[in-house]
Structure formats: C-alpha cells, structure tokens
Amino acid sequence: GAPSIPGLEVAGEIVGLGEGVDDAHLGQPVFALLAGGGYAQYAAAPVGQCLPLPEALTMIEGAAIPETLFTVWTNLFERAHVADGDAVLVHGGTSGIGTMAIALCKLFGVAIAVTCGSDEKCRRAKELGADHAINYKTADFVSEVQALTGGVDAVLDMVGGDYLPRNLQCLRDDGRHVSIAVQRGTQAEIDIVQIMRRRLTLTGSTLRPRSAGFKSLVADELVREVWPHIRDGALRPVIDSTFPLAEAAAAHARMEGGEHVGKIVLAVAREGDGR
C-alpha cells in the first residue's frame, strides 16, 4: 500500500489536513516518517508520524532525522534495551544510521564502537563522538572490539551474512544482537550452543512495513525522550550534502559511491519563492 514514489522522510510545513485532524496542525513546521512519497513537492503523512520541528533546526536538518531516529531508537534502545553504562557495536559508523547511533549513545551514556571502511572515516566517526572506530578493511573487528571493550552488550547490524557469527563473538554474556539489514546476504551459520551457554539474544526488525499505529507510539516516545534534546540543539543530524530534487540521480550517485558521511538531503523548491 506504500506509494511508488521514493522517500521515507521529509520536513516541511503542513498545508492540508485529512479528516479528523485538529485544525491547530495547519501551518506547523514538522518532520515526518513516511512509507514512501517523500520525493515530491507535497507528501502525505499520518499525523501521528509527524514531530514538531524546533527552531533549533533547519528544514534540511529536519529532513535528515526521522528514518534514522526511529530506526536506531526502536532497535538499539527498545529491542536491544541498551542503557546508561552499556557498550555497543554499530557497523557503518559514518552512515546515516551510524551517525545517529553515535549521537544518541552520547546523549544517553552508552559507549559506542563503530566500524568504517577507511582510516579517514574512522577519524570522522571519532570526531562525531564514537569511543572507538575500527577500519574493517585493515583490521579484524572481532579482535579489535574485544581488545578495546572486553565485549559489548549489543550489536546493531546492517551487514548480515557472515558477519552474524562474528558479531556474536563481540558480545558479552547476555548480549543482544539486532539485525536491521542484510547487505552481505540473508543466510548465516551460527553456533547454537554459544547462544545457549552465553544466554545471547538474536532479534531484528524492519520499520517500513510496521503499522501507522506502531509508528505513532514510537513518535510519542521520541517526543518524550529525545525531542527535548533536539529542541535544545544537543542532537543534530550529520549532513553530508544537499541536492535539488531535480538532481536526485546525482544524490543517489553520491550515496552509492560510499564516500559520504551522514545524510544526503534533497531540497524541494517552494512555488513562488525559488527555495
């Protein structure tokens, strides 16, 4: 039932209301999570998936928040139950997910180790607040994680495939592994006895197919727990670059090239003012 137009996150001004939506929403600046349709001048979103855009953020920054914020919060802080004093491993440390994970971990007292594909990206990840950054192309991340942290309480994994058994070796006893993507494949071979003996938890989720009701509940929790940090300017997305909507293909080429750090944002011109 999702639109065929791409785009899962937007920021803008509410210019129209559906049936049953309070008139007070009209004209509000918001950022919103969508099931699709964001690559357009006008997009529709369930009101429960819209969060107020604070004065501390620009529209460009607001557009770079929803999908990564919802994803990291639901998977790392809810499914993996990380809390103050825990340590986590996140792959793709300079991706949109990785940079949001770094920011949230800094806010909530969670130590974070990340993997990156170059020494330069490792340097950037540490500048952004990662406690440890490992170049997975030149070092074995399992041995590095163990040496640097003694093991982590949770792994947020976007890689899948043969990374899964290696991720489990990074976990402390009672550790939690959360899968959110499968870039290296959907199949993995694991040692079940290791899971039993060390009481490990394997879980995962996908966000886009979840109901509007679920996403609205997450939005409510984010307003309570995270929005104050956004309002105060303590949580800001990392913006790699912006492109006009008409140059979306160039934006995708930038993303596919793998050199970006943080989010790539498409800016939609507003009728009449050239912005």
Side-chain angles (χ1 to χ4, degrees):
S4 59
I5 298 171
L8 303 181
E9 52 192 344
V10 297
E13 179 183 317
I14 296 177
V15 296
L17 303 175
E19 184 178 351
V21 179
D22 191 326
D23 290 344
H25 290 287
L26 197 62
Q28 285 189 355
V30 297
F31 53 97
L33 181 71
L34 312 178
Y39 284 25
Q41 289 176 295
Y42 297 91
V47 67
Q49 293 168 214
C50 298
L51 281 74
L53 183 74
E55 293 182 359
L57 292 187
T58 65
M59 285 286 184
I60 293 292
E61 289 174 314
I65 289 179
E67 195 272 340
T68 54
L69 178 59
F70 275 70
T71 297
V72 174
W73 185 262
T74 57
N75 288 286
L76 202 53
F77 289 83
E78 292 185 346
R79 300 196 74 80
H81 307 293
V82 300
D84 187 5
D86 283 345
V88 303
L89 169 64
V90 177
H91 292 296
T94 54
S95 66
I97 293 290
T99 54
M100 179 59 73
I102 291 171
L104 287 173
C105 285
K106 286 175 60 181
L107 285 174
F108 291 94
V110 177
I112 180 169
V114 300
T115 62
C116 305
S118 70
D119 289 341
E120 172 61 20
K121 285 195 170 187
C122 286
R123 183 186 67 80
R124 288 285 287 119
K126 294 192 76 171
E127 287 178 352
L128 294 171
D131 297 281
H132 308 288
I134 302 160
N135 185 341
Y136 65 84
K137 292 184 178 179
T138 60
D140 173 49
F141 73 82
V142 176
S143 59
E144 289 293 308
V145 167
Q146 289 292 352
L148 292 167
T149 70
V152 294
D153 299 285
V155 176
L156 183 65
D157 180 44
M158 298 179 282
V159 184
D162 59 353
Y163 264 46
L164 178 53
R166 297 172 68 194
N167 290 338
L168 298 187
Q169 296 176 47
C170 297
L171 288 172
R172 298 169 180 162
D173 289 356
D174 297 297
R176 290 84 69 192
H177 183 284
V178 186
S179 298
I180 60 171
V182 286
Q183 295 171 356
R184 287 174 70 101
T186 61
Q187 304 294 315
E189 184 173 326
I190 58 175
D191 181 356
I192 298 174
V193 172
Q194 179 186 178
I195 296 172
M196 297 163 56
R197 180 175 57 84
R198 300 177 54 214
R199 303 173 303 281
L200 304 180
T201 299
L202 275 67
T203 185
S205 75
T206 55
L207 180 61
R208 189 181 185 193
R210 299 298 297 270
S211 68
F214 169 80
K215 294 172 185 176
S216 296
L217 289 174
V218 175
D220 290 343
E221 185 172 358
L222 291 172
V223 168
R224 293 193 304 272
E225 303 293 337
V226 181
W227 192 88
H229 299 289
I230 299 174
R231 179 198 59 207
D232 296 340
L235 176 63
R236 310 186 84 97
V238 177
I239 305 295
D240 174 84
S241 52
T242 62
F243 291 80
L245 180 60
E247 298 177 16
H252 279 252
R254 169 72 179 166
M255 182 171 60
E256 291 162 8
E259 297 303 314
H260 63 290
V261 175
K263 299 299 290 286
I264 301 168
V265 181
L266 297 177
V268 181
R270 290 184 6 178
E271 294 178 2
D273 64 5
R275 288 188 288 163

